[in-house]
mmCIF file with all atom_site columns, all heavy atoms in Angstrom:
data_model
loop_
_atom_site.group_PDB
_atom_site.id
_atom_site.type_symbol
_atom_site.label_atom_id
_atom_site.label_alt_id
_atom_site.label_comp_id
_atom_site.label_asym_id
_atom_site.label_entity_id
_atom_site.label_seq_id
_atom_site.pdbx_PDB_ins_code
_atom_site.Cartn_x
_atom_site.Cartn_y
_atom_site.Cartn_z
_atom_site.occupancy
_atom_site.B_iso_or_equiv
_atom_site.pdbx_formal_charge
_atom_site.auth_seq_id
_atom_site.auth_comp_id
_atom_site.auth_asym_id
_atom_site.auth_atom_id
_atom_site.pdbx_PDB_model_num
ATOM 1  N N   . ILE A 1 182 ? -37.916 -11.840 2.628  1.00 98.00 ? 182 ILE A N   1
ATOM 2  C CA  . ILE A 1 182 ? -37.919 -10.851 1.542  1.00 98.00 ? 182 ILE A CA  1
ATOM 3  C C   . ILE A 1 182 ? -36.613 -10.067 1.632  1.00 98.00 ? 182 ILE A C   1
ATOM 4  O O   . ILE A 1 182 ? -36.362 -9.354  2.609  1.00 98.00 ? 182 ILE A O   1
ATOM 5  C CB  . ILE A 1 182 ? -39.138 -9.923  1.628  1.00 98.00 ? 182 ILE A CB  1
ATOM 6  C CG1 . ILE A 1 182 ? -40.434 -10.744 1.520  1.00 98.00 ? 182 ILE A CG1 1
ATOM 7  C CG2 . ILE A 1 182 ? -39.083 -8.872  0.515  1.00 98.00 ? 182 ILE A CG2 1
ATOM 8  C CD1 . ILE A 1 182 ? -41.716 -9.911  1.615  1.00 98.00 ? 182 ILE A CD1 1
ATOM 9  N N   . ASP A 1 183 ? -35.800 -10.206 0.614  1.00 98.00 ? 183 ASP A N   1
ATOM 10 C CA  . ASP A 1 183 ? -34.431 -9.702  0.629  1.00 98.00 ? 183 ASP A CA  1
ATOM 11 C C   . ASP A 1 183 ? -34.363 -8.254  0.159  1.00 98.00 ? 183 ASP A C   1
ATOM 12 O O   . ASP A 1 183 ? -34.311 -7.963  -1.027 1.00 98.00 ? 183 ASP A O   1
ATOM 13 C CB  . ASP A 1 183 ? -33.557 -10.595 -0.268 1.00 98.00 ? 183 ASP A CB  1
ATOM 14 C CG  . ASP A 1 183 ? -32.137 -10.085 -0.397 1.00 98.00 ? 183 ASP A CG  1
ATOM 15 O OD1 . ASP A 1 183 ? -31.678 -9.376  0.526  1.00 98.00 ? 183 ASP A OD1 1
ATOM 16 O OD2 . ASP A 1 183 ? -31.480 -10.392 -1.406 1.00 98.00 ? 183 ASP A OD2 1
ATOM 17 N N   . CYS A 1 184 ? -34.321 -7.345  1.140  1.00 98.00 ? 184 CYS A N   1
ATOM 18 C CA  . CYS A 1 184 ? -34.138 -5.924  0.833  1.00 98.00 ? 184 CYS A CA  1
ATOM 19 C C   . CYS A 1 184 ? -32.654 -5.555  0.867  1.00 98.00 ? 184 CYS A C   1
ATOM 20 O O   . CYS A 1 184 ? -32.288 -4.394  0.674  1.00 98.00 ? 184 CYS A O   1
ATOM 21 C CB  . CYS A 1 184 ? -34.878 -5.063  1.846  1.00 98.00 ? 184 CYS A CB  1
ATOM 22 S SG  . CYS A 1 184 ? -36.616 -5.462  2.048  1.00 98.00 ? 184 CYS A SG  1
ATOM 23 N N   . GLY A 1 185 ? -31.815 -6.553  1.115  1.00 97.00 ? 185 GLY A N   1
ATOM 24 C CA  . GLY A 1 185 ? -30.382 -6.353  1.334  1.00 97.00 ? 185 GLY A CA  1
ATOM 25 C C   . GLY A 1 185 ? -29.977 -7.130  2.576  1.00 97.00 ? 185 GLY A C   1
ATOM 26 O O   . GLY A 1 185 ? -29.208 -6.667  3.411  1.00 97.00 ? 185 GLY A O   1
ATOM 27 N N   . ALA A 1 186 ? -30.543 -8.330  2.687  1.00 97.00 ? 186 ALA A N   1
ATOM 28 C CA  . ALA A 1 186 ? -30.432 -9.129  3.915  1.00 97.00 ? 186 ALA A CA  1
ATOM 29 C C   . ALA A 1 186 ? -28.997 -9.550  4.208  1.00 97.00 ? 186 ALA A C   1
ATOM 30 O O   . ALA A 1 186 ? -28.255 -9.949  3.313  1.00 97.00 ? 186 ALA A O   1
ATOM 31 C CB  . ALA A 1 186 ? -31.314 -10.367 3.821  1.00 97.00 ? 186 ALA A CB  1
ATOM 32 N N   . LYS A 1 187 ? -28.638 -9.475  5.481  1.00 97.00 ? 187 LYS A N   1
ATOM 33 C CA  . LYS A 1 187 ? -27.363 -10.008 5.944  1.00 97.00 ? 187 LYS A CA  1
ATOM 34 C C   . LYS A 1 187 ? -27.481 -11.521 6.104  1.00 97.00 ? 187 LYS A C   1
ATOM 35 O O   . LYS A 1 187 ? -28.528 -12.039 6.484  1.00 97.00 ? 187 LYS A O   1
ATOM 36 C CB  . LYS A 1 187 ? -26.971 -9.355  7.274  1.00 97.00 ? 187 LYS A CB  1
ATOM 37 C CG  . LYS A 1 187 ? -26.639 -7.873  7.138  1.00 97.00 ? 187 LYS A CG  1
ATOM 38 C CD  . LYS A 1 187 ? -26.696 -7.153  8.472  1.00 97.00 ? 187 LYS A CD  1
ATOM 39 C CE  . LYS A 1 187 ? -25.679 -7.672  9.452  1.00 97.00 ? 187 LYS A CE  1
ATOM 40 N NZ  . LYS A 1 187 ? -25.768 -6.968  10.749 1.00 97.00 ? 187 LYS A NZ  1
ATOM 41 N N   . TYR A 1 188 ? -26.383 -12.222 5.824  1.00 97.00 ? 188 TYR A N   1
ATOM 42 C CA  . TYR A 1 188 ? -26.385 -13.680 5.912  1.00 97.00 ? 188 TYR A CA  1
ATOM 43 C C   . TYR A 1 188 ? -26.825 -14.189 7.282  1.00 97.00 ? 188 TYR A C   1
ATOM 44 O O   . TYR A 1 188 ? -27.450 -15.240 7.396  1.00 97.00 ? 188 TYR A O   1
ATOM 45 C CB  . TYR A 1 188 ? -24.983 -14.220 5.623  1.00 97.00 ? 188 TYR A CB  1
ATOM 46 C CG  . TYR A 1 188 ? -24.559 -14.204 4.177  1.00 97.00 ? 188 TYR A CG  1
ATOM 47 C CD1 . TYR A 1 188 ? -23.214 -14.380 3.841  1.00 97.00 ? 188 TYR A CD1 1
ATOM 48 C CD2 . TYR A 1 188 ? -25.472 -14.026 3.139  1.00 97.00 ? 188 TYR A CD2 1
ATOM 49 C CE1 . TYR A 1 188 ? -22.802 -14.379 2.519  1.00 97.00 ? 188 TYR A CE1 1
ATOM 50 C CE2 . TYR A 1 188 ? -25.063 -14.013 1.816  1.00 97.00 ? 188 TYR A CE2 1
ATOM 51 C CZ  . TYR A 1 188 ? -23.716 -14.187 1.505  1.00 97.00 ? 188 TYR A CZ  1
ATOM 52 O OH  . TYR A 1 188 ? -23.310 -14.185 0.202  1.00 97.00 ? 188 TYR A OH  1
ATOM 53 N N   . ASN A 1 189 ? -26.472 -13.444 8.335  1.00 97.00 ? 189 ASN A N   1
ATOM 54 C CA  . ASN A 1 189 ? -26.712 -13.972 9.667  1.00 97.00 ? 189 ASN A CA  1
ATOM 55 C C   . ASN A 1 189 ? -28.193 -14.054 10.026 1.00 97.00 ? 189 ASN A C   1
ATOM 56 O O   . ASN A 1 189 ? -28.569 -14.795 10.942 1.00 97.00 ? 189 ASN A O   1
ATOM 57 C CB  . ASN A 1 189 ? -25.961 -13.155 10.728 1.00 97.00 ? 189 ASN A CB  1
ATOM 58 C CG  . ASN A 1 189 ? -25.423 -14.040 11.834 1.00 97.00 ? 189 ASN A CG  1
ATOM 59 O OD1 . ASN A 1 189 ? -24.902 -15.132 11.565 1.00 97.00 ? 189 ASN A OD1 1
ATOM 60 N ND2 . ASN A 1 189 ? -25.559 -13.622 13.072 1.00 97.00 ? 189 ASN A ND2 1
ATOM 61 N N   . ILE A 1 190 ? -29.039 -13.328 9.306  1.00 98.00 ? 190 ILE A N   1
ATOM 62 C CA  . ILE A 1 190 ? -30.483 -13.479 9.518  1.00 98.00 ? 190 ILE A CA  1
ATOM 63 C C   . ILE A 1 190 ? -30.893 -14.905 9.146  1.00 98.00 ? 190 ILE A C   1
ATOM 64 O O   . ILE A 1 190 ? -31.600 -15.589 9.900  1.00 98.00 ? 190 ILE A O   1
ATOM 65 C CB  . ILE A 1 190 ? -31.270 -12.443 8.692  1.00 98.00 ? 190 ILE A CB  1
ATOM 66 C CG1 . ILE A 1 190 ? -31.004 -11.027 9.214  1.00 98.00 ? 190 ILE A CG1 1
ATOM 67 C CG2 . ILE A 1 190 ? -32.765 -12.759 8.720  1.00 98.00 ? 190 ILE A CG2 1
ATOM 68 C CD1 . ILE A 1 190 ? -31.657 -9.929  8.393  1.00 98.00 ? 190 ILE A CD1 1
ATOM 69 N N   . SER A 1 191 ? -30.439 -15.353 7.989  1.00 98.00 ? 191 SER A N   1
ATOM 70 C CA  . SER A 1 191 ? -30.752 -16.719 7.552  1.00 98.00 ? 191 SER A CA  1
ATOM 71 C C   . SER A 1 191 ? -30.114 -17.755 8.464  1.00 98.00 ? 191 SER A C   1
ATOM 72 O O   . SER A 1 191 ? -30.720 -18.793 8.768  1.00 98.00 ? 191 SER A O   1
ATOM 73 C CB  . SER A 1 191 ? -30.279 -16.932 6.111  1.00 98.00 ? 191 SER A CB  1
ATOM 74 O OG  . SER A 1 191 ? -30.993 -16.098 5.217  1.00 98.00 ? 191 SER A OG  1
ATOM 75 N N   . ARG A 1 192 ? -28.896 -17.485 8.935  1.00 97.00 ? 192 ARG A N   1
ATOM 76 C CA  . ARG A 1 192 ? -28.230 -18.424 9.842  1.00 97.00 ? 192 ARG A CA  1
ATOM 77 C C   . ARG A 1 192 ? -29.029 -18.584 11.137 1.00 97.00 ? 192 ARG A C   1
ATOM 78 O O   . ARG A 1 192 ? -29.202 -19.702 11.641 1.00 97.00 ? 192 ARG A O   1
ATOM 79 C CB  . ARG A 1 192 ? -26.824 -17.932 10.160 1.00 97.00 ? 192 ARG A CB  1
ATOM 80 C CG  . ARG A 1 192 ? -25.866 -17.877 8.977  1.00 97.00 ? 192 ARG A CG  1
ATOM 81 C CD  . ARG A 1 192 ? -24.460 -17.547 9.467  1.00 97.00 ? 192 ARG A CD  1
ATOM 82 N NE  . ARG A 1 192 ? -23.547 -17.209 8.374  1.00 97.00 ? 192 ARG A NE  1
ATOM 83 C CZ  . ARG A 1 192 ? -23.046 -15.993 8.168  1.00 97.00 ? 192 ARG A CZ  1
ATOM 84 N NH1 . ARG A 1 192 ? -23.361 -14.997 8.977  1.00 97.00 ? 192 ARG A NH1 1
ATOM 85 N NH2 . ARG A 1 192 ? -22.219 -15.773 7.159  1.00 97.00 ? 192 ARG A NH2 1
ATOM 86 N N   . GLU A 1 193 ? -29.493 -17.456 11.698 1.00 97.00 ? 193 GLU A N   1
ATOM 87 C CA  . GLU A 1 193 ? -30.244 -17.508 12.957 1.00 97.00 ? 193 GLU A CA  1
ATOM 88 C C   . GLU A 1 193 ? -31.577 -18.234 12.777 1.00 97.00 ? 193 GLU A C   1
ATOM 89 O O   . GLU A 1 193 ? -32.019 -18.968 13.661 1.00 97.00 ? 193 GLU A O   1
ATOM 90 C CB  . GLU A 1 193 ? -30.471 -16.090 13.497 1.00 97.00 ? 193 GLU A CB  1
ATOM 91 C CG  . GLU A 1 193 ? -29.222 -15.388 13.991 1.00 97.00 ? 193 GLU A CG  1
ATOM 92 C CD  . GLU A 1 193 ? -28.634 -16.041 15.241 1.00 97.00 ? 193 GLU A CD  1
ATOM 93 O OE1 . GLU A 1 193 ? -29.386 -16.748 15.955 1.00 97.00 ? 193 GLU A OE1 1
ATOM 94 O OE2 . GLU A 1 193 ? -27.438 -15.847 15.508 1.00 97.00 ? 193 GLU A OE2 1
#
Side-chain angles (χ1 to χ4, degrees):
I182 300 179
D183 176 26
C184 307
K187 292 161 63 181
Y188 285 165
N189 217 42
I190 293 176
S191 295
R192 295 187 192 111
E193 291 293 338

